[in-house]
Amino acid sequence: MNAHDLLDLQCCGDCGAWWALRPYACAACGGTALQWQRSGGLGVVLARSDVHRAPDAFWRAHVPYTLVLVRLEEGAVLMGHADAGVEIGQDVVGRAISIDGRELLGFKARRPP
């Protein structure tokens, strides 16, 4: 897996809406002409959370870590990891990150806050 694979989303061929999940039909227009498209990965942080209590032993070894919700320029919203200094409203870019061999979606600031 590489950084670009993490940013492949479905786009409706009928209305152009982008979807982070894999719907059967477009929620905006009901069309079923969904196609895989590569997002540019640019977006804005909508929400962030600093995790101090992880769900399992793997993640407990990595606390604290920051999770963010990002609205991509295409309109889809994704969750991913982020650098500790990333703030709500900040412009970010998606990239692949590796944590102990796990490839994950991460976001880094496009410019200082």
Short mmCIF file of all heavy atoms in Angstrom, two decimals, residues 7 51 86 103 105 109:
data_model
loop_
_atom_site.label_atom_id
_atom_site.label_comp_id
_atom_site.label_asym_id
_atom_site.label_seq_id
_atom_site.Cartn_x
_atom_site.Cartn_y
_atom_site.Cartn_z
N LEU A 7 -5.87 7.33 -0.56
CA LEU A 7 -6.70 8.46 -0.95
C LEU A 7 -7.55 8.15 -2.18
O LEU A 7 -8.04 9.05 -2.84
CB LEU A 7 -5.82 9.69 -1.19
CG LEU A 7 -5.17 10.22 0.09
CD1 LEU A 7 -4.10 11.24 -0.24
CD2 LEU A 7 -6.21 10.81 1.01
N VAL A 51 -5.70 11.12 21.85
CA VAL A 51 -6.04 9.84 22.48
C VAL A 51 -5.00 9.51 23.55
O VAL A 51 -3.80 9.44 23.26
CB VAL A 51 -6.11 8.71 21.43
CG1 VAL A 51 -6.41 7.38 22.09
CG2 VAL A 51 -7.15 9.06 20.36
N VAL A 86 -1.36 19.75 14.91
CA VAL A 86 -2.40 20.08 13.93
C VAL A 86 -3.65 20.55 14.67
O VAL A 86 -4.06 19.95 15.66
CB VAL A 86 -2.71 18.86 13.03
CG1 VAL A 86 -3.93 19.09 12.19
CG2 VAL A 86 -1.51 18.55 12.15
N GLU A 103 0.35 0.40 7.71
CA GLU A 103 0.19 1.57 6.84
C GLU A 103 -1.15 2.22 7.16
O GLU A 103 -2.21 1.58 7.09
CB GLU A 103 0.23 1.16 5.37
CG GLU A 103 1.60 0.70 4.92
CD GLU A 103 2.59 1.83 4.83
OE1 GLU A 103 2.24 2.93 4.36
OE2 GLU A 103 3.75 1.61 5.23
N LEU A 105 -3.55 6.15 7.21
CA LEU A 105 -3.72 7.49 6.66
C LEU A 105 -3.32 8.50 7.71
O LEU A 105 -3.77 8.44 8.85
CB LEU A 105 -5.17 7.72 6.24
CG LEU A 105 -5.52 9.10 5.70
CD1 LEU A 105 -4.67 9.43 4.47
CD2 LEU A 105 -7.00 9.17 5.36
N ALA A 109 0.29 19.27 8.38
CA ALA A 109 -0.05 20.66 8.09
C ALA A 109 0.54 21.07 6.74
O ALA A 109 1.67 20.71 6.42
CB ALA A 109 0.46 21.58 9.19
#
